[in-house]
Amino acid sequence: GPSRNVTARVAPLGPRLVLALVEDRTRERRIEEVRRDFVANVSHELKTPVGAIRLLAEAVDEASDDPEAVQRFAARMLTESDRLAHLVQQVIELSRLQGDEPVESPGPIQVDTVIPVAVDTSAIDAGAKSIQVLTDVEPHLAVLGNEEQVTAAVANLVANAVAYSEPGSKVLVRARAVEGFVEISVVDQGIGIPSDEIDRIFERFYRVDPARHRSTGGTGLGLSIVKHVAATHGGDVRVWSVEGQGSTFTLSLPQHQQHRTDDGAAQAPV
Ligand code: ADP
């Protein structure tokens, strides 16, 4: 049969090399599959807001003698175009990260600088829901990498904590050193994640029961961005969650040791 032919042909290469080649092909095919799925998903996700904006533009056109309706449609167009802009930005971010290549010319990043910036990106949404975002950050922690990417990763976790929490609840962002890693945890008292869904939330475009939180207008890309940032920085991201009680996401990145002066300011190693 054909399988015996294949064995005869590849045998001189040795079993280990054959296995490596097969694995490599499988990996290539898998990457190609993921890429194709991604493009299909992006096209689908882009069509929804574009379609909505088009319909709203037609509605505005037809309602020109009803200023109140025009205003209502215009407001919705604004919401839809913001959503579109957010989606496009996340797709660009993700496609930059997709190769999981190590970060080019990484620099030291001060964690106590990054966290307030990341928290600030959710200030308006948190304020609108009276959610207090508290921080508890060990001073002088640093990691090595791309500051924009690490900030975006933490910002995504904070944005989720705010989006999936009830008004009036609290979110805590904590950073500390644990055995050579900097652990940045975002703790919320929100809706939590069902245990049978938890393995899937880092997949692109995956959202737990979209109907349950359509109003948050998410894209399902945030956590896959976090996962890729963790991977490109030699770290990982873990989640612990109890449905109805809350979630804790922990981004763990290798700690960058820096020499310090007596006043605690960072110095380049000599
Ligand atoms: P989205 O844009 O939908 O927030 P993400 O990739 O950031 O996309 O998250 C994927 C899904 O994981 C979300 O749709 C939500 O169902 C769930 N999720 C993420 N973070 C939290 C959280 N802090 N609490 C509860 N559910 C969460």
Side-chain angles (χ1 to χ4, degrees), residues 86 90 156-157 159-165 186 188 190-194 200-210 212-213 216-226 241 246-249:
H86 180 59
Q90 287 203 318
N156 273 316
L157 294 179
N160 281 346
V162 170
Y164 303 114
S165 290
V186 179
D188 69 49
I191 60 175
I193 300 155
R200 304 205 56 193
I201 56 170
F202 292 94
E203 290 172 21
R204 296 181 187 110
F205 294 111
Y206 192 80
R207 310 193 68 207
V208 178
D209 183 10
R212 181 170 66 150
H213 45 240
T216 63
T219 60
L221 289 178
L223 287 179
S224 51
I225 290 173
V226 178
S241 184
S247 311
T248 297
F249 284 81

Side-chain angles (χ1 to χ4, degrees), residues 108 110 140 142 256-270:
Q110 307 305 322
H140 310 310
H256 175 59
Q257 297 294 347
Q258 40 192 359
H259 295 245
R260 327 201 137 272
T261 58
D262 283 341
D263 63 1
Q267 258 191 351
V270 259

Side-chain angles (χ1 to χ4, degrees), residues 23-39:
E23 273 176 357
D24 212 49
R25 292 271 161 70
T26 312
R27 188 165 175 271
E28 253 169 49
R29 209 170 305 145
R30 171 99 193 101
I31 289 171
E32 177 54 25
E33 237 167 61
V34 167
R35 200 193 59 81
R36 221 179 306 129
D37 282 0
F38 183 61
V39 171

Side-chain angles (χ1 to χ4, degrees), residues 59-233:
V60 166
D61 197 35
E62 277 158 29
S64 52
D65 51 353
D66 180 354
E68 226 169 86
V70 168
Q71 210 163 38
R72 212 169 51 236
F73 295 141
R76 281 181 50 200
M77 276 173 87
L78 203 60
T79 309
E80 289 295 332
S81 50
D82 282 350
R83 193 176 137 66
L84 187 59
H86 180 59
L87 178 62
V88 168
Q89 189 214 326
Q90 287 203 318
V91 167
I92 291 170
E93 237 168 80
L94 193 57
S95 61
R96 274 204 206 118
L97 291 163
Q98 240 164 31
D100 281 350
E101 318 255 318
V103 181
E104 262 177 59
S105 50
I109 303 167
Q110 307 305 322
V111 174
D112 51 10
T113 316
V114 158
I115 288 182
V117 176
V119 167
D120 217 48
T121 60
S122 287
I124 293 174
D125 292 336
K129 291 172 81 175
S130 305
I131 290 176
Q132 222 184 324
V133 183
L134 309 163
T135 56
D136 175 12
V137 178
E138 216 176 278
H140 310 310
L141 294 179
V143 297
L144 212 53
N146 178 305
E147 182 153 345
E148 209 179 302
Q149 289 177 11
V150 172
T151 308
V154 178
N156 273 316
L157 294 179
V158 176
N160 281 346
V162 170
Y164 303 114
S165 290
E166 297 299 327
S169 61
K170 288 195 172 87
V171 170
L172 172 66
V173 185
R174 198 175 49 200
R176 55 186 182 184
V178 182
E179 293 169 2
F181 283 80
V182 174
E183 289 193 350
I184 302 171
S185 297
V186 179
V187 187
D188 69 49
Q189 309 168 313
I191 60 175
I193 300 155
S195 52
D196 57 336
E197 307 257 12
I198 212 151
D199 287 339
R200 304 205 56 193
I201 56 170
F202 292 94
E203 290 172 21
R204 296 181 187 110
F205 294 111
Y206 192 80
R207 310 193 68 207
V208 178
D209 183 10
R212 181 170 66 150
H213 45 240
R214 199 186 301 283
S215 61
T216 63
T219 60
L221 289 178
L223 287 179
S224 51
I225 290 173
V226 178
K227 193 181 90 178
H228 281 285
V229 171
T232 54
H233 286 74

